[in-house]
């Protein structure tokens, strides 16, 4: 584990070296992705029809502020960095005190299991600070004008609670076009009631209008559309039932598809991963 990984466990806003190590490039006639396995298996760049749609790295960005990275084996915050399973309590690093932030994907190197021109498979071995043994697989595939992303969390021995999803930063303006601002459209079934401590209360209430730093629920999978005027449209469909939207920064918006809400591993509805039953989520990005 590098010094940057150790520092990230203490402070989510620690200085970050950005994309390092080898890169995996996927491309076809419509799309190009650049993935860095040693940088949280993050999609650093995603170009649709030669247009970059993700917030890019620069020296001022921190670990959770650019590209698109997986959140595993929990999404968002874990309240006070604590959760319990089968009568035992466990502690996670409070890197956004007092909470644990965005999982451990950015705290370890991922391994490339397969890479071709349009498809790649990566593996993360679950290790400290996560207290259970297991693995995470991330598969990314290009199909014409679509990106299919899959996450699987696999228990090696003991069962454990978990959640999974992605944390992309989509640009609010494409290139130098400041007129055609990003619009995010969706029709959620409920809003996770925000708590006064940056963690949802667990109550479900009526969705509200933006601006948002909120998590929404869907009864039958997430469906959301992103529009940059008449320049580009992105339709997102996910098998996950939760969507976090954060659009309170001037240059980029987070649109996170997830299997659970933040702090969901402390919920009675939490998914339990076993050696026989992994947790899986698929999200399809369709550009036009």
């Amino acid at each position: 584990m590098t010094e940057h990984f150790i520092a990230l466990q203490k402070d989510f806003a620690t200085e970050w070296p950005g994309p390092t190590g080898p890169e995996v490039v996927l491309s076809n006639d419509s799309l190009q992705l650049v993935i860095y396995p040693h940088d949280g298996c993050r999609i650093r760049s995603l170009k649709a029809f030669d247009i970059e749609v993700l917030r890019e790295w620069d020296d001022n960005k921190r670990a959770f502020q650019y590209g698109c990275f997986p959140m595993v084996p929990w999404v968002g915050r874990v309240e006070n960095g604590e959760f319990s399973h089968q009568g035992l309590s466990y502690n996670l690093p409070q890197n956004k005190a007092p909470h644990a932030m965005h999982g451990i994907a950015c705290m370890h190197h991922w391994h490339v299991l397969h890479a071709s021109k349009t498809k790649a498979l990566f593996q993360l071995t679950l290790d400290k600070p996560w207290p259970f043994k297991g693995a995470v697989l991330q598969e990314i595939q290009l199909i014409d004008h679509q990106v299919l992303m899959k996450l699987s969390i696999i228990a090696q021995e003991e069962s454990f609670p978990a959640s999974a999803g992605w944390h992309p930063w989509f640009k609010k303006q494409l290139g130098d076009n400041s007129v055609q601002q990003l619009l995010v459209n969706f029709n959620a079934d409920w809003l996770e009631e925000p708590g006064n401590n940056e963690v949802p209360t667990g109550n479900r209430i009526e969705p509200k209008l933006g601006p948002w730093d909120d998590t929404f629920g869907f009864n039958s999978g997430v469906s959301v559309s992103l529009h940059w005027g008449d320049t580009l449209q992105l339709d997102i469909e996910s098998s996950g039932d939760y969507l976090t939207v954060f659009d309170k920064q001037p240059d980029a918006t987070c649109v996170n598809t997830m299997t659970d809400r933040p702090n969901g591993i402390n919920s009675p509805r939490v998914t339990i991963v076993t050696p026989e039953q992994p947790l899986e989520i698929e999200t399809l990005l369709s550009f036009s």
Side-chain angles (χ1 to χ4, degrees):
M1 184 175 292
T2 70
E3 60 180 314
H4 297 289
F5 293 164
I6 294 171
L8 184 59
Q9 294 186 35
K10 299 177 181 179
D11 181 6
F12 84 109
T14 187
E15 291 188 3
W16 195 248
T20 57
E23 65 179 29
V24 174
V25 179
L26 306 181
S27 64
N28 62 18
D29 290 341
S30 303
L31 305 170
Q32 183 187 68
L33 280 79
V34 182
I35 307 153
Y36 279 79
H38 291 185
D39 189 24
C41 207
R42 183 193 320 261
I43 301 172
R44 178 188 181 270
S45 172
L46 170 51
K47 292 182 178 179
F49 313 111
D50 294 323
I51 302 171
E52 179 63 60
V53 300
L54 295 177
R55 177 198 265 175
E56 298 170 274
W57 159 256
D58 64 44
D59 290 342
N60 295 317
K61 297 293 186 296
R62 301 302 185 242
F64 299 139
Q65 293 181 332
Y66 63 98
C68 172
F69 60 89
M71 295 183 289
V72 288
W74 74 87
V75 300
R77 296 170 177 84
V78 174
E79 187 173 11
N80 299 320
E82 300 174 348
F83 72 99
S84 60
H85 178 56
Q86 296 182 341
L88 298 177
S89 296
Y90 299 90
N91 294 305
L92 299 169
Q94 296 177 339
N95 58 348
K96 193 175 191 305
H99 308 309
M101 187 85 156
H102 290 342
I104 67 167
C106 290
M107 297 178 186
H108 297 278
H109 289 163
W110 292 59
H111 302 285
V112 182
L113 299 183
H114 166 81
S116 67
K117 185 176 180 180
T118 59
K119 185 177 181 179
L121 179 64
F122 308 90
Q123 179 176 303
L124 169 69
T125 299
L126 290 176
D127 200 349
K128 295 179 180 179
W130 186 247
F132 300 97
K133 293 182 179 180
V136 180
L137 298 176
Q138 176 170 229
E139 183 179 306
I140 302 174
Q141 182 178 4
L142 305 186
I143 308 168
D144 297 327
H145 60 282
Q146 298 175 313
V147 183
L148 178 61
M149 305 191 299
K150 301 180 182 180
L151 284 171
S152 302
I153 300 179
I154 303 162
Q156 180 176 326
E157 299 172 354
E158 303 173 82
S159 67
F160 53 81
S163 56
W166 291 272
H167 192 302
W169 288 94
F170 291 109
K171 289 186 173 184
K172 285 190 172 178
Q173 299 93 27
L174 299 180
D176 297 327
N177 190 342
S178 60
V179 177
Q180 297 188 342
Q181 289 271 349
L182 171 63
L183 295 177
V184 180
N185 297 318
F186 57 92
N187 186 20
D189 292 298
W190 73 88
L191 167 67
E192 291 288 333
E193 181 182 54
N196 57 12
N197 61 346
E198 297 187 314
V199 174
T201 66
N203 296 326
R204 295 178 174 182
I205 61 176
E206 286 294 316
K208 66 178 183 179
L209 297 177
W212 297 296
D213 183 6
D214 295 289
T215 298
F216 300 87
F218 295 71
N219 288 322
S220 301
V222 170
S223 180
V224 55
S225 293
L226 283 63
H227 302 261
W228 290 270
D230 57 7
T231 300
L232 191 66
Q233 178 172 326
L234 168 58
D235 296 309
I236 302 175
E237 303 286 336
S238 180
S239 63
D241 292 331
Y242 290 85
L243 174 73
T244 292
V245 181
F246 174 54
D247 65 352
K248 295 183 178 180
Q249 293 194 2
D251 65 324
T253 294
C254 300
V255 183
N256 306 346
T257 53
M258 310 177 300
T259 63
D260 208 342
R261 62 177 174 84
N263 200 40
I265 64 172
N266 282 311
S267 164
R269 297 185 292 270
V270 65
T271 298
I272 303 298
V273 181
T274 70
E276 299 76 26
Q277 186 61 53
L279 181 155
E280 297 179 334
I281 180 174
E282 292 188 3
T283 292
L284 182 67
L285 312 180
S286 300
F287 290 93
S288 59

